[in-house]
Amino acid sequence: MADFDPEKFEDKYANYFPELQQAYKNAFNRMNDKYDSELVHAIDQQVLNESEPFYAGDGEFTIELPDNPYGRLSGVVVEQDRFEEVLEIHVGEIETELERVFEFE
């Protein structure tokens, strides 16, 4: 992996695309092993595909979600509370994976 540069992360898709893909994939695989795979897949394809990772500083990342994540969900029936719980865990997994991939962990 290339050395992490916060300034280069501003153009993350040009500079760190493979690392981003790896972090999202690792988080997806972990979630898919622990939670309903249909829900995890829907979250991945219908919400997280429009998410935006940001470097927050001090080795931490945040994920900005699109507006109305629950409203984006189709093809799977789930209570909103359960959806939000699994989404929050999934986002946490992505943030953790970004920290790991970029060797902050």
Side-chain angles (χ1 to χ4, degrees), residues 61-92:
F61 293 85
T62 59
I63 305 297
E64 183 178 294
L65 297 173
D67 291 337
N68 191 17
Y70 185 71
R72 299 173 63 86
L73 198 63
S74 66
V76 64
V77 177
V78 62
E79 295 285 329
Q80 187 167 354
D81 289 345
R82 178 66 177 156
F83 165 81
E84 289 173 357
E85 174 188 355
V86 173
L87 177 60
E88 182 179 331
I89 294 166
H90 200 146
V91 166

Side-chain angles (χ1 to χ4, degrees), residues 5-51:
D5 181 339
E7 288 183 21
K8 282 182 158 182
F9 200 77
E10 291 178 21
D11 193 10
K12 59 190 141 284
Y13 300 112
N15 296 312
Y16 294 114
F17 190 71
E19 292 87 352
L20 293 170
Q21 279 187 309
Q22 188 63 54
Y24 272 73
K25 180 181 176 184
N26 291 350
F28 173 84
N29 289 338
R30 188 171 301 112
M31 291 297 296
N32 203 40
D33 288 344
K34 294 180 183 177
Y35 299 93
D36 174 37
S37 62
E38 187 177 0
L39 176 57
V40 170
H41 190 266
I43 288 172
D44 181 64
Q45 295 296 308
Q46 298 170 25
V47 177
L48 296 175
N49 67 332
E50 296 293 327
S51 68

